[in-house]
């Protein structure tokens, strides 16, 4: 993307995020990654009359292997954490999520925006206040529920007992102290009780495996009991390849908490494409997490919600054509949202 265009979309983003004169905003990068992001955000910060600077962390000591979440690169640099805690806002171009350092920065009242997706995707899925309103409607409904049930024509039937953990929303910008968000994003989620998720989930071809950034090719049957996956196997008539890959990935962490059930919710952005992995290499998959009417469940850490599981093994799995009930009320009907206030104007 042309740098001037990138500057403009970063200015739009920081305007939505309420950056103004008198604030201090830090742009955080790592190694040689996303230096053009830092340039664009610093230009936008100046344009809004705020004070900004660029904090660049060293590259990771090693690369490759499994994608382990929770390693911020800040663990041995307390002075850097203190500086970020002193800022009004941090633009995170490294992916701090699930790290203890991120939670400490938020607890200090600093708001955080993660921006790691390709610039073209950031531009196409620019947040809007209208989308925020629809996301917040979903969050209000989810926060009141005591149970969630997910079903599908393929055989999924799983129930989450809710209420232990808060409901969180992502709509792509952050304008309140201590809030984290991810650009782009448009979904709501919570977590089931630690021992309160039971049933069967059947992944169908076209469902998405993140961070593999691949589409399911062969059915996968996942048995869940008391909040943990007890069995992963190929569905009837399947070669079992996707089940083998999923199982092998979790086993590679040698951490039984990698089988724990994490957050669960649904997407609301009608502009996001299910086929998004075919563009830009999929980025980090935020488009797939956000596409309208997907039901997404996650495996692994729940510390983002305040839970005890901080395993580095994490999977997000957005599914198509599923139905989701809150306290027996149908909220997502085979991929279509039922509540008018959550639907875009052209679908009401």
């Amino acid at each position: 993307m042309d740098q001037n265009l990138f500057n403009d979309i970063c200015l739009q983003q920081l305007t939505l995020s309420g950056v103004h004169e008198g604030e201090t905003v830090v742009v955080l990068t790592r190694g040689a990654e996303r230096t053009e992001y830092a340039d664009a955000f610093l230009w936008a910060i100046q344009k809004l009359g705020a004070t900004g600077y660029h904090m660049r962390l060293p590259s990771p000591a090693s690369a490759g292997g499994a994608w382990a979440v929770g390693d911020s690169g800040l663990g041995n640099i307390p002075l850097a954490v203190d500086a970020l805690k002193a800022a009004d806002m941090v633009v995170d171009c490294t992916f701090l999520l699930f790290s203890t350092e991120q939670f400490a920065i938020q607890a200090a009242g600093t708001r955080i925006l993660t921006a790691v997706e390709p610039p073209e995707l950031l531009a196409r899925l620019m947040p809007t206040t209208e989308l925020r309103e629809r996301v917040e409607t979903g969050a209000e409904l989810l926060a009141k529920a005591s149970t969630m049930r997910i079903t599908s024509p393929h055989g999924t039937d799983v129930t989450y007992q809710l209420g232990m953990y808060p409901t969180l929303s992502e709509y792509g910008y952050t304008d309140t102290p201590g809030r984290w968000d991810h650009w782009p994003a448009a979904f709501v989620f919570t977590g089931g009780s630690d021992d309160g998720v039971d049933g069967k989930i059947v992944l169908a071809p076209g469902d998405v495996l993140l961070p593999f950034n691949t589409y399911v090719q062969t059915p996968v049957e996942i048995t869940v009991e008391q909040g943990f996956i007890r069995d992963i196997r190929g569905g009837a008539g399947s070669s079992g390849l996707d089940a083998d890959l999923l199982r092998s990935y979790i086993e590679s962490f040698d951490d039984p908490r990698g089988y724990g059930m994490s957050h669960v919710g649904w997407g609301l952005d009608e502009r996001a494409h299910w086929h998004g992995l075919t563009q830009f290499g999929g980025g980090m998959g935020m488009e797939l997490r956000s596409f309208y009417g997907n039901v997404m469940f996650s495996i692994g850490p729940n510390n983002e919600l305040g839970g005890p599981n901080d395993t580095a093994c994490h999977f997000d799995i957005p599914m198509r054509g599923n139905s989701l009930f809150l306290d027996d009320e149908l909220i997502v009907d085979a991929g279509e949202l039922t509540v008018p206030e959550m639907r875009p104007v052209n679908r009401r």
Side-chain angles (χ1 to χ4, degrees), residues 89-167:
M89 180 174 174
V90 172
V91 178
D92 166 32
C93 299
T94 69
F95 199 74
L96 294 174
L97 189 61
F98 299 114
S99 68
T100 56
E101 293 78 26
Q102 168 158 338
F103 302 145
I105 294 164
Q106 288 181 258
T110 302
R111 60 194 192 276
I112 302 175
L113 177 77
T114 295
V116 295
E117 293 284 17
E120 294 81 3
L121 183 60
L122 298 178
R124 179 160 58 79
L125 298 183
M126 176 62 65
T128 68
T129 55
E130 185 268 344
L131 184 57
R132 173 181 180 168
E133 290 171 1
R134 291 195 278 121
V135 168
E136 290 182 330
T137 295
E140 290 172 6
L141 288 172
L142 183 53
K144 296 174 183 176
S146 58
T147 63
M148 176 192 293
R149 182 185 177 202
I150 303 168
T151 64
S152 81
H154 309 287
T156 293
D157 195 342
V158 62
T159 299
Y160 287 72
Q161 303 300 322
L162 307 180
M164 175 173 283
Y165 295 115
T167 292

XYZ file of all heavy atoms in Angstrom, residues 89-167:
607
model
N -1.891 5.412 25.405
C -2.266 4.380 24.442
C -1.008 3.733 23.876
O 0.011 4.395 23.678
C -3.104 4.984 23.306
C -3.549 3.986 22.256
S -4.678 4.741 21.045
C -4.859 3.370 19.884
N -1.096 2.431 23.644
C -0.039 1.683 22.970
C -0.612 1.103 21.685
O -1.666 0.458 21.706
C 0.507 0.546 23.858
C 1.467 -0.355 23.062
C 1.197 1.097 25.096
N 0.064 1.345 20.573
C -0.271 0.675 19.318
C 0.674 -0.520 19.217
O 1.881 -0.363 19.023
C -0.098 1.605 18.103
C -0.414 0.845 16.817
C -1.005 2.826 18.238
N 0.121 -1.700 19.387
C 0.900 -2.927 19.477
C 1.015 -3.573 18.101
O 0.049 -4.135 17.584
C 0.226 -3.880 20.470
C 0.756 -5.297 20.396
O 1.948 -5.457 20.081
O -0.025 -6.245 20.650
N 2.192 -3.502 17.526
C 2.450 -4.136 16.223
C 3.256 -5.414 16.392
O 3.963 -5.844 15.470
C 3.180 -3.161 15.305
S 2.255 -1.640 14.960
N 3.173 -6.025 17.594
C 3.943 -7.243 17.884
C 3.063 -8.429 18.269
O 3.489 -9.567 18.152
C 4.915 -7.005 19.041
O 4.172 -6.843 20.268
C 5.775 -5.766 18.810
N 1.883 -8.193 18.790
C 0.936 -9.182 19.330
C 1.285 -9.551 20.773
O 1.876 -10.580 21.081
C 0.846 -10.448 18.475
C -0.424 -11.232 18.751
C -1.636 -10.770 18.277
C -0.401 -12.393 19.487
C -2.817 -11.471 18.536
C -1.574 -13.101 19.754
C -2.777 -12.646 19.267
N 0.871 -8.667 21.672
C 1.088 -8.854 23.106
C 0.065 -9.771 23.766
O 0.259 -10.167 24.929
C 1.004 -7.497 23.818
C 2.067 -6.449 23.526
C 1.701 -5.134 24.219
C 3.437 -6.923 23.979
N -1.003 -10.114 23.072
C -2.143 -10.786 23.701
C -1.728 -12.046 24.455
O -0.878 -12.796 23.995
C -3.186 -11.136 22.645
C -4.526 -11.653 23.167
C -5.214 -10.614 24.048
C -5.434 -12.046 22.010
N -2.362 -12.251 25.593
C -2.168 -13.384 26.508
C -0.911 -13.244 27.362
O -0.599 -14.131 28.151
C -2.131 -14.733 25.770
C -3.397 -15.070 25.028
C -3.399 -15.141 23.654
C -4.577 -15.322 25.709
C -4.547 -15.453 22.953
C -5.740 -15.638 25.019
C -5.732 -15.698 23.646
N -0.172 -12.159 27.218
C 1.045 -11.991 28.019
C 0.731 -11.282 29.331
O -0.177 -10.451 29.414
C 2.091 -11.181 27.250
O 1.677 -9.837 27.079
N 1.505 -11.592 30.363
C 1.317 -10.923 31.649
C 1.621 -9.439 31.530
O 1.044 -8.613 32.243
C 2.218 -11.560 32.726
O 3.586 -11.511 32.286
C 1.836 -13.007 32.973
N 2.546 -9.088 30.628
C 2.908 -7.690 30.445
C 1.736 -6.896 29.873
O 1.487 -5.754 30.273
C 4.128 -7.564 29.532
C 5.413 -8.106 30.131
C 5.508 -9.629 30.073
O 4.872 -10.236 29.179
O 6.213 -10.208 30.914
N 0.985 -7.495 28.939
C -0.183 -6.780 28.411
C -1.189 -6.507 29.523
O -1.728 -5.404 29.630
C -0.874 -7.564 27.298
C -2.250 -6.957 26.972
C -2.782 -7.293 25.599
O -2.048 -7.636 24.698
N -4.079 -7.186 25.447
N -1.444 -7.507 30.343
C -2.421 -7.318 31.414
C -1.968 -6.228 32.382
O -2.791 -5.446 32.882
C -2.652 -8.638 32.157
C -3.132 -9.763 31.276
C -2.735 -11.064 31.499
C -3.992 -9.518 30.216
C -3.171 -12.101 30.691
C -4.436 -10.545 29.394
C -4.017 -11.845 29.640
N -0.671 -6.154 32.655
C -0.153 -5.121 33.552
C -0.308 -3.734 32.930
O -0.647 -2.762 33.621
C 1.317 -5.393 33.870
N -0.072 -3.630 31.625
C -0.212 -2.339 30.938
C -1.667 -1.892 30.960
O -1.974 -0.726 31.241
C 0.321 -2.463 29.496
C 1.835 -2.721 29.513
C 0.013 -1.200 28.699
C 2.377 -3.226 28.189
N -2.582 -2.802 30.705
C -4.010 -2.461 30.752
C -4.438 -2.052 32.158
O -5.219 -1.107 32.324
C -4.855 -3.654 30.296
C -4.796 -3.942 28.810
C -5.678 -5.131 28.453
O -5.194 -6.229 28.259
N -6.974 -4.896 28.399
N -3.928 -2.783 33.154
C -4.310 -2.485 34.540
C -3.879 -1.084 34.951
O -4.491 -0.471 35.846
C -3.703 -3.522 35.487
N -2.867 -0.548 34.283
C -2.416 0.815 34.575
C -3.308 1.865 33.919
O -3.099 3.066 34.119
C -0.980 0.990 34.100
N -4.297 1.422 33.137
C -5.217 2.344 32.486
C -4.852 2.679 31.058
O -5.557 3.454 30.394
N -3.767 2.090 30.565
C -3.350 2.326 29.180
C -4.222 1.504 28.236
O -4.416 0.308 28.456
C -1.882 1.924 28.991
O -1.081 2.679 29.902
C -1.421 2.173 27.561
N -4.742 2.132 27.214
C -5.499 1.377 26.220
C -4.551 0.859 25.144
O -3.525 1.483 24.864
C -6.628 2.207 25.621
C -6.230 3.480 24.892
C -7.481 4.329 24.668
N -7.279 5.445 23.735
C -6.790 6.621 24.070
N -6.447 6.861 25.328
N -6.674 7.577 23.144
N -4.885 -0.295 24.582
C -3.984 -0.965 23.642
C -4.744 -1.315 22.375
O -5.863 -1.853 22.427
C -3.391 -2.253 24.253
C -2.626 -1.943 25.550
C -2.479 -2.952 23.252
C -2.116 -3.187 26.272
N -4.133 -1.015 21.242
C -4.670 -1.425 19.953
C -3.628 -2.303 19.271
O -2.494 -1.876 19.050
C -4.958 -0.219 19.063
C -5.447 -0.582 17.655
C -6.913 -0.993 17.692
C -5.226 0.565 16.683
N -4.003 -3.537 18.947
C -3.122 -4.406 18.185
C -3.388 -4.198 16.696
O -4.537 -4.217 16.256
C -3.340 -5.882 18.559
O -2.949 -6.072 19.925
C -2.523 -6.806 17.678
N -2.312 -4.006 15.925
C -2.419 -3.815 14.479
C -1.284 -4.585 13.819
O -0.149 -4.107 13.786
C -2.350 -2.338 14.111
N -1.599 -5.765 13.344
C -0.574 -6.620 12.736
C -1.001 -7.171 11.385
O -0.201 -7.828 10.710
C -0.195 -7.796 13.678
C 0.470 -7.284 14.942
C -1.421 -8.640 14.023
N -2.252 -6.937 10.996
C -2.739 -7.475 9.733
C -2.206 -6.654 8.549
O -1.768 -5.506 8.716
C -4.272 -7.476 9.725
C -4.899 -8.439 10.724
C -4.826 -9.896 10.292
O -4.021 -10.226 9.384
O -5.564 -10.718 10.845
N -2.258 -7.203 7.319
C -1.772 -6.466 6.151
C -2.521 -5.148 5.961
O -3.733 -5.067 6.236
C -2.066 -7.429 4.988
C -2.115 -8.784 5.616
C -2.699 -8.571 6.980
N -1.839 -4.095 5.524
C -2.477 -2.780 5.380
C -3.741 -2.796 4.517
O -4.710 -2.104 4.829
C -1.381 -1.926 4.738
C -0.106 -2.554 5.186
C -0.384 -4.027 5.236
N -3.747 -3.596 3.448
C -4.922 -3.640 2.576
C -6.141 -4.160 3.318
O -7.265 -3.708 3.084
C -4.633 -4.514 1.352
C -3.567 -3.964 0.425
C -2.146 -4.238 0.896
O -1.966 -4.925 1.934
O -1.213 -3.759 0.223
N -5.919 -5.109 4.225
C -7.029 -5.636 5.021
C -7.481 -4.614 6.056
O -8.685 -4.443 6.293
C -6.596 -6.929 5.703
C -7.671 -7.658 6.517
C -8.849 -8.034 5.634
C -7.088 -8.892 7.185
N -6.548 -3.911 6.672
C -6.897 -2.863 7.625
C -7.778 -1.803 6.959
O -8.744 -1.318 7.557
C -5.636 -2.209 8.186
C -4.677 -3.106 8.978
C -3.452 -2.317 9.422
C -5.370 -3.742 10.176
N -7.448 -1.471 5.725
C -8.223 -0.452 5.014
C -9.620 -0.952 4.684
O -10.609 -0.231 4.867
C -7.490 -0.038 3.734
N -9.731 -2.182 4.210
C -11.036 -2.704 3.791
C -11.968 -2.912 4.978
O -13.192 -2.749 4.851
C -10.861 -4.011 3.018
C -12.173 -4.635 2.564
C -11.988 -5.608 1.430
N -11.091 -6.698 1.738
C -11.439 -7.769 2.465
N -12.654 -7.864 2.965
N -10.569 -8.734 2.686
N -11.407 -3.273 6.131
C -12.232 -3.527 7.311
C -12.041 -2.433 8.361
O -11.941 -2.714 9.561
C -11.902 -4.907 7.889
C -12.175 -6.104 6.967
C -11.875 -7.416 7.675
C -13.605 -6.094 6.450
N -12.005 -1.194 7.888
C -11.922 -0.056 8.806
C -13.107 -0.088 9.772
O -14.252 -0.251 9.349
C -11.936 1.251 8.015
C -11.961 2.515 8.877
S -10.514 2.715 9.935
C -9.222 2.938 8.699
N -12.876 0.036 11.073
C -13.987 0.027 12.029
C -14.960 1.177 11.785
O -14.593 2.215 11.221
C -13.290 0.195 13.383
C -11.870 -0.138 13.144
C -11.570 0.183 11.725
N -16.190 0.969 12.232
C -17.208 2.017 12.157
C -17.970 2.065 13.476
O -18.043 1.068 14.204
C -18.214 1.758 11.016
O -19.007 0.599 11.341
C -17.510 1.534 9.679
N -18.552 3.210 13.754
C -19.363 3.325 14.976
C -20.625 2.475 14.868
O -21.108 1.952 15.880
C -19.731 4.791 15.241
O -20.381 5.338 14.082
C -18.492 5.613 15.545
N -21.147 2.316 13.658
C -22.356 1.482 13.467
C -22.053 0.027 13.793
O -22.835 -0.655 14.468
C -22.847 1.621 12.020
C -24.158 0.909 11.719
C -23.977 -0.506 11.211
O -22.850 -0.867 10.788
O -24.953 -1.287 11.239
N -20.900 -0.465 13.355
C -20.520 -1.845 13.662
C -20.283 -2.001 15.156
O -20.658 -3.024 15.748
C -19.269 -2.217 12.868
C -18.787 -3.664 12.996
C -19.874 -4.648 12.585
C -17.524 -3.874 12.161
N -19.684 -1.005 15.781
C -19.484 -1.067 17.234
C -20.820 -1.228 17.954
O -20.934 -2.042 18.882
C -18.782 0.197 17.720
C -18.688 0.295 19.238
C -18.012 1.570 19.681
N -17.925 1.659 21.134
C -17.189 2.547 21.794
N -16.467 3.441 21.118
N -17.173 2.564 23.103
N -21.830 -0.500 17.539
C -23.136 -0.595 18.185
C -23.715 -2.002 18.067
O -24.295 -2.537 19.022
C -24.097 0.429 17.564
C -23.763 1.869 17.914
C -24.585 2.866 17.120
O -25.427 2.421 16.304
O -24.385 4.081 17.307
N -23.544 -2.616 16.895
C -24.073 -3.968 16.710
C -23.304 -4.984 17.554
O -23.892 -5.913 18.125
C -24.021 -4.351 15.233
C -25.007 -3.546 14.394
C -25.223 -4.166 13.031
N -24.186 -3.818 12.077
C -23.416 -4.690 11.451
N -23.541 -5.982 11.705
N -22.509 -4.283 10.576
N -21.975 -4.813 17.641
C -21.165 -5.689 18.474
C -21.566 -5.551 19.942
O -21.706 -6.547 20.667
C -19.662 -5.380 18.281
C -18.819 -6.078 19.338
C -19.210 -5.781 16.884
N -21.770 -4.319 20.381
C -22.135 -4.107 21.784
C -23.519 -4.663 22.103
O -23.769 -5.103 23.225
C -22.032 -2.627 22.120
C -20.577 -2.140 22.148
C -20.442 -0.681 22.531
O -21.374 0.108 22.245
O -19.398 -0.315 23.110
N -24.424 -4.649 21.131
C -25.726 -5.301 21.329
C -25.532 -6.789 21.605
O -26.144 -7.359 22.511
C -26.623 -5.110 20.098
O -26.927 -3.725 19.943
C -27.923 -5.895 20.227
N -24.670 -7.430 20.800
C -24.382 -8.840 21.021
C -23.759 -9.098 22.372
O -24.092 -10.072 23.056
N -22.853 -8.223 22.785
C -22.187 -8.390 24.077
C -23.185 -8.289 25.231
O -23.086 -9.029 26.217
C -21.084 -7.357 24.232
N -24.139 -7.386 25.107
C -25.154 -7.251 26.157
C -25.985 -8.522 26.288
O -26.286 -8.975 27.401
C -26.058 -6.054 25.849
C -25.370 -4.706 26.013
C -26.235 -3.557 25.521
O -27.408 -3.818 25.167
O -25.742 -2.416 25.479
N -26.368 -9.109 25.160
C -27.137 -10.353 25.197
C -26.323 -11.482 25.801
O -26.818 -12.255 26.639
C -27.581 -10.739 23.781
C -28.676 -9.903 23.147
C -28.853 -10.297 21.679
C -29.998 -10.100 23.893
N -25.071 -11.591 25.387
C -24.219 -12.671 25.871
C -23.954 -12.545 27.364
O -23.936 -13.541 28.092
C -22.914 -12.669 25.079
C -21.899 -13.773 25.376
C -22.521 -15.153 25.276
C -20.700 -13.644 24.437
N -23.767 -11.327 27.842
C -23.451 -11.114 29.258
C -24.597 -11.535 30.180
O -24.374 -11.858 31.343
C -23.106 -9.648 29.498
N -25.824 -11.535 29.667
C -26.989 -11.895 30.483
C -27.257 -13.393 30.511
O -28.060 -13.868 31.320
C -28.236 -11.186 29.947
C -28.192 -9.669 30.035
C -29.401 -9.059 29.358
C -29.361 -7.538 29.357
N -30.507 -6.948 28.609
N -26.636 -14.148 29.624
C -26.973 -15.563 29.457
C -26.286 -16.441 30.498
O -25.182 -16.148 30.957
C -26.594 -16.021 28.055
N -26.928 -17.538 30.828
C -26.337 -18.515 31.746
C -25.887 -19.782 31.024
O -25.067 -20.537 31.560
C -27.335 -18.884 32.851
O -28.529 -19.410 32.298
N -26.428 -20.029 29.821
C -25.973 -21.173 29.032
C -25.879 -20.791 27.563
O -26.600 -19.919 27.076
C -26.925 -22.382 29.146
O -28.209 -22.038 28.624
C -27.054 -22.856 30.577
N -24.980 -21.452 26.859
C -24.861 -21.349 25.408
C -24.852 -22.763 24.842
O -24.135 -23.638 25.336
C -23.587 -20.621 25.002
C -23.359 -20.577 23.478
S -21.688 -20.020 23.014
C -21.742 -18.303 23.554
N -25.640 -22.963 23.808
C -25.640 -24.260 23.126
C -25.355 -24.023 21.644
O -25.923 -23.111 21.039
C -26.979 -24.970 23.291
C -27.031 -26.360 22.655
C -28.423 -26.951 22.741
N -28.493 -28.242 22.084
C -29.617 -28.790 21.627
N -30.776 -28.157 21.779
N -29.585 -29.972 21.023
N -24.466 -24.819 21.074
C -24.116 -24.727 19.662
C -24.474 -26.036 18.984
O -24.134 -27.122 19.484
C -22.610 -24.440 19.481
C -22.213 -23.156 20.207
C -22.245 -24.343 18.001
C -20.707 -22.957 20.313
N -25.160 -25.955 17.850
C -25.531 -27.143 17.082
C -25.191 -26.921 15.610
O -25.009 -25.787 15.164
C -27.041 -27.459 17.206
O -27.793 -26.378 16.628
C -27.457 -27.637 18.659
N -25.132 -28.018 14.860
C -24.901 -27.919 13.425
C -25.498 -29.135 12.730
O -25.702 -30.187 13.361
C -23.402 -27.831 13.110
O -22.815 -29.122 13.127
N -25.754 -29.029 11.433
C -26.258 -30.186 10.685
C -25.264 -31.345 10.633
O -25.645 -32.473 10.317
C -26.491 -29.618 9.276
C -26.553 -28.147 9.435
C -25.662 -27.822 10.593
N -24.005 -31.058 10.946
C -22.969 -32.078 10.864
C -22.850 -32.905 12.144
O -22.097 -33.879 12.179
C -21.626 -31.423 10.546
C -21.685 -30.506 9.363
N -21.790 -30.960 8.073
C -21.689 -29.147 9.283
C -21.843 -29.937 7.246
N -21.787 -28.824 7.958
N -23.583 -32.491 13.196
C -23.573 -33.269 14.426
C -23.061 -32.555 15.650
O -23.025 -33.138 16.744
N -22.671 -31.306 15.509
C -22.250 -30.548 16.693
C -23.408 -30.374 17.652
O -24.521 -30.013 17.253
C -21.721 -29.165 16.295
O -20.502 -29.321 15.554
C -21.451 -28.292 17.512
N -23.162 -30.628 18.909
C -24.122 -30.352 19.975
C -23.326 -30.223 21.269
O -23.004 -31.214 21.920
C -25.175 -31.456 20.092
C -26.378 -31.016 20.928
O -26.255 -30.020 21.680
O -27.440 -31.655 20.829
N -22.987 -28.994 21.611
C -22.138 -28.735 22.768
C -22.753 -27.606 23.585
O -23.316 -26.657 23.037
C -20.697 -28.386 22.333
C -20.658 -27.107 21.498
C -19.746 -28.281 23.512
N -22.645 -27.723 24.898
C -23.225 -26.733 25.805
C -22.154 -26.137 26.706
O -21.323 -26.866 27.268
C -24.329 -27.372 26.668
O -25.364 -27.871 25.817
C -24.936 -26.346 27.621
N -22.184 -24.819 26.817
C -21.286 -24.068 27.698
C -22.098 -23.510 28.860
O -23.118 -22.838 28.638
C -20.652 -22.889 26.961
C -19.589 -23.214 25.946
C -19.918 -23.811 24.734
C -18.250 -22.893 26.178
C -18.937 -24.091 23.787
C -17.264 -23.162 25.240
C -17.619 -23.763 24.043
O -16.650 -24.033 23.105
N -21.653 -23.755 30.073
C -22.221 -23.101 31.243
C -21.514 -21.759 31.424
O -20.290 -21.709 31.550
C -22.054 -23.972 32.488
C -22.669 -25.359 32.374
C -24.162 -25.315 32.115
O -24.875 -24.458 32.658
N -24.654 -26.236 31.285
N -22.291 -20.676 31.404
C -21.703 -19.334 31.419
C -21.851 -18.674 32.790
O -22.564 -19.170 33.651
C -22.385 -18.466 30.357
C -22.422 -19.027 28.930
C -23.125 -18.049 27.995
C -21.020 -19.353 28.427
N -21.184 -17.539 32.943
C -21.322 -16.741 34.163
C -20.052 -16.649 34.971
O -19.895 -15.726 35.789
N -19.118 -17.596 34.767
C -17.870 -17.537 35.532
C -16.961 -16.428 35.024
O -16.232 -15.784 35.804
C -17.139 -18.879 35.456
C -15.761 -18.882 36.126
S -14.989 -20.520 36.199
C -15.916 -21.258 37.560
N -17.009 -16.175 33.702
C -16.096 -15.223 33.087
C -16.853 -14.088 32.411
O -18.002 -14.245 32.009
C -15.188 -15.941 32.080
C -14.276 -16.936 32.750
C -14.389 -18.298 32.502
C -13.310 -16.504 33.663
C -13.556 -19.212 33.143
C -12.479 -17.405 34.308
C -12.604 -18.760 34.046
O -11.782 -19.645 34.691
N -16.209 -12.943 32.284
C -16.875 -11.781 31.674
C -17.069 -11.971 30.173
O -16.445 -12.833 29.540
C -15.909 -10.632 31.963
C -14.572 -11.284 32.053
C -14.825 -12.616 32.694
N -17.926 -11.138 29.615
C -18.101 -11.069 28.167
C -17.230 -9.943 27.629
O -17.201 -8.844 28.189
C -19.571 -10.801 27.818
O -20.345 -11.955 28.168
C -19.745 -10.521 26.336
